[in-house]
């Protein structure tokens, strides 16, 4: 299944970010812990330049703990990285500590001159990565629009979170063009691409194939089915539908309903803690998408 989706408001959002980045002191880069690599938008790399980055592995409660720790080590090499679940109360404390750390370093030269400056931070991420929820947690109150739907934030929102810090919530922005199918699929699985532009039934078959590579028990345990090694994705989907009695008139299988429930179960963490991408595959992923993160750029420059 080929996926391409880049609505007009994302182009406007990127232009806005390019303008606002000039007055920003640092960047909070929000990544979904289930697919961190796919959440690294190459356009953001060009935009950020040499600004300090705080990587946030959000929704860490939904990803495999071991894999999330590996991603934390990866992003924490040359930048600051925090793991959290932005929905949980008080989870933003770790992020606030990281912001203060960067703020203090940035303000050292001004502090000596008794000059107090507003520390401005831009929050970036793909749609539905949890940016707005994270900001609301930092504020301790709902100041931004949130929801488990891609594309809720449409314009910029400057928000004062106290302590001389202002954060800019920006619209979730995708890659202008997906040059690799797995990136598009992973972003679709985690809800960064709107369902109404996807063939859900077709996407579910690709999802099943990917999950079978990770651990078939994730599906077996959730739907109380037995998956044989020779089963094809369509046969697995049929077993899920039969187990849940997703049937039409004449006992025909309701593939569409089964596909929707399957993908929704993943989004709601009902299949278990799943990480779609692993650090050990980073070379393979990087080569196939021609992406370089800021970490890798810094490492190359050091050499």
């Amino acid at each position: 299944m080929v996926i391409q989706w880049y609505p007009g408001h994302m182009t406007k959002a990127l232009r806005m970010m390019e303008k606002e980045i000039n007055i920003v002191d640092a960047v909070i880069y929000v990544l979904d812990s289930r697919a961190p690599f796919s959440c690294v938008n190459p356009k953001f790399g060009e935009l950020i330049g040499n600004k300090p980055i705080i990587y946030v592995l959000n929704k860490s409660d939904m990803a495999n703990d071991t894999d999330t720790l590996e991603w934390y080590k990866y992003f924490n090499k040359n930048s600051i990285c925090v793991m959290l679940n932005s929905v949980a109360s008080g989870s933003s404390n770790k992020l606030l500590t990281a912001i203060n750390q960067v703020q203090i370093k940035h303000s050292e030269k001004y502090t000596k001159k008794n000059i107090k400056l507003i520390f401005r931070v831009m929050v970036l991420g793909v749609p539905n990565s949890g940016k707005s929820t994270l900001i609301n947690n930092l504020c301790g109150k709902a100041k931004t629009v949130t929801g488990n739907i891609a594309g809720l934030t449409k314009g910029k929102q400057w928000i004062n979170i106290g302590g001389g810090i202002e954060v800019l919530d920006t619209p979730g922005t995708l890659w202008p063009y997906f040059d690799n199918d797995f990136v598009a699929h992973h972003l679709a699985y985690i809800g960064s691409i709107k369902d109404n532009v996807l063939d859900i039934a077709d996407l579910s078959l690709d999802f099943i194939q990917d999950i079978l590579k990770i651990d078939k028990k994730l599906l077996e345990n959730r739907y109380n089915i037995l998956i044989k090694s020779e089963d094809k994705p369509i046969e697995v989907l049929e077993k899920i539908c039969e187990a849940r009695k997703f049937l039409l008139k004449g006992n025909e299988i309701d593939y569409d309903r089964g596909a929707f429930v399957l993908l929704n179960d993943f989004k709601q963490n009902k299949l278990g803690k799943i990480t779609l991408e692993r650090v050990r595959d980073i070379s393979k992923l990087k080569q196939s998408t021609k992406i370089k993160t800021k970490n890798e750029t810094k490492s190359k420059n050091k050499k």
Side-chain angles (χ1 to χ4, degrees):
M1 177 182 178
V2 178
I3 302 173
Q4 293 296 337
W5 184 59
Y6 194 74
H9 77 268
M10 291 189 182
T11 300
K12 294 180 181 178
L14 193 58
R15 290 173 182 165
M16 177 272 291
M17 289 182 243
E18 289 173 346
K19 179 180 179 181
E20 298 294 331
I21 196 69
N22 295 321
I23 62 171
V24 165
D25 303 303
V27 169
I28 295 175
Y29 206 141
V30 184
L31 311 173
D32 189 311
S33 294
R34 296 169 296 176
F37 182 85
S38 292
C39 290
V40 177
N41 188 328
K43 280 293 181 182
F44 288 167
E46 300 172 11
L47 177 74
I48 295 169
N50 294 319
K51 303 280 184 181
I53 299 178
I54 300 172
Y55 288 103
V56 176
L57 286 170
N58 196 22
K59 305 184 181 182
S60 59
D61 59 308
M62 304 174 75
N64 179 278
D65 294 334
T66 301
D67 289 325
T68 301
L69 182 58
E70 289 300 312
W71 280 112
Y72 167 79
K73 293 177 181 177
Y74 173 77
F75 286 108
N76 204 49
K77 286 181 181 178
N78 297 296
S79 298
I80 297 176
C81 183
V82 296
M83 301 180 293
L84 54 79
N85 167 19
S86 63
V87 177
S89 178
S91 62
S92 61
N93 292 338
K94 290 190 292 185
L95 176 57
L96 188 56
T97 299
I99 296 174
N100 288 334
Q101 182 180 338
V102 178
Q103 179 188 23
I104 291 172
K105 186 176 181 180
H106 171 78
S107 304
E108 282 179 350
K109 57 182 177 180
Y110 300 104
T111 302
K112 294 177 181 178
K113 300 178 181 179
N114 292 321
I115 300 175
K116 292 184 178 181
L117 299 176
I118 295 296
F119 187 70
R120 294 185 173 90
V121 184
M122 180 182 288
V123 183
L124 302 176
V126 297
N128 201 36
S129 58
K131 303 184 311 304
S132 297
T133 300
L134 182 64
I135 293 173
N136 286 341
N137 206 321
L138 280 170
C139 297
K141 61 181 71 175
K143 290 192 176 183
T144 63
V145 180
T146 64
N148 192 28
I149 302 174
L152 277 180
T153 302
K154 296 296 184 182
K156 67 177 182 179
Q157 298 182 72
W158 277 107
I159 300 156
N160 191 325
I161 65 172
I165 302 170
E166 290 183 354
V167 295
L168 174 62
D169 186 21
T170 61
T173 309
L174 291 171
W175 303 30
Y177 178 79
F178 297 125
D179 59 359
N180 191 295
D181 284 342
F182 82 82
V183 169
H185 279 71
H186 289 182
L187 291 174
Y189 298 158
I190 65 176
S192 293
I193 299 176
K194 286 188 175 181
D195 287 347
N196 60 7
V197 301
L198 299 168
D199 184 330
I200 299 299
D202 195 10
L203 183 67
S204 72
L205 299 181
D206 294 330
F207 177 74
I208 290 172
Q209 188 171 35
D210 287 340
I211 294 300
L212 291 178
K213 293 176 183 177
I214 298 173
D215 188 353
K216 69 175 185 175
K217 291 186 180 299
L218 293 165
L219 298 176
E220 289 181 331
N221 294 339
R222 172 62 182 168
Y223 303 107
N224 193 26
I225 60 176
L226 179 63
I227 301 175
K228 299 178 182 179
S229 58
E230 65 269 21
D231 282 346
K232 297 179 180 178
I234 186 66
E235 294 170 321
V236 175
L237 181 59
E238 288 172 354
K239 289 182 177 182
I240 292 173
C241 290
E242 289 171 351
R244 288 301 176 88
K245 301 189 184 309
F246 295 155
L247 303 173
L248 301 169
K249 290 183 179 180
N251 284 330
E252 291 185 11
I253 293 176
D254 191 343
Y255 292 101
D256 290 335
R257 186 180 179 189
F260 176 82
V261 168
L262 172 61
L263 293 172
N264 201 48
D265 279 353
F266 170 71
K267 293 174 185 177
Q268 295 182 5
N269 202 30
K270 293 181 179 180
L271 299 181
K273 294 186 173 185
I274 300 172
T275 300
L276 300 168
E277 304 158 354
R278 297 175 178 175
V279 173
R280 68 188 183 201
D281 299 323
I282 193 71
S283 297
K284 180 180 176 181
L285 298 172
K286 181 177 58 176
Q287 184 177 9
S288 63
T289 56
K290 301 177 182 179
I291 291 178
K292 289 184 180 179
T293 66
K294 188 172 182 180
N295 285 350
E296 294 158 347
T297 303
K298 281 187 175 181
S299 297
K300 184 177 180 180
N301 291 338
K302 286 182 180 179
K303 294 178 182 179

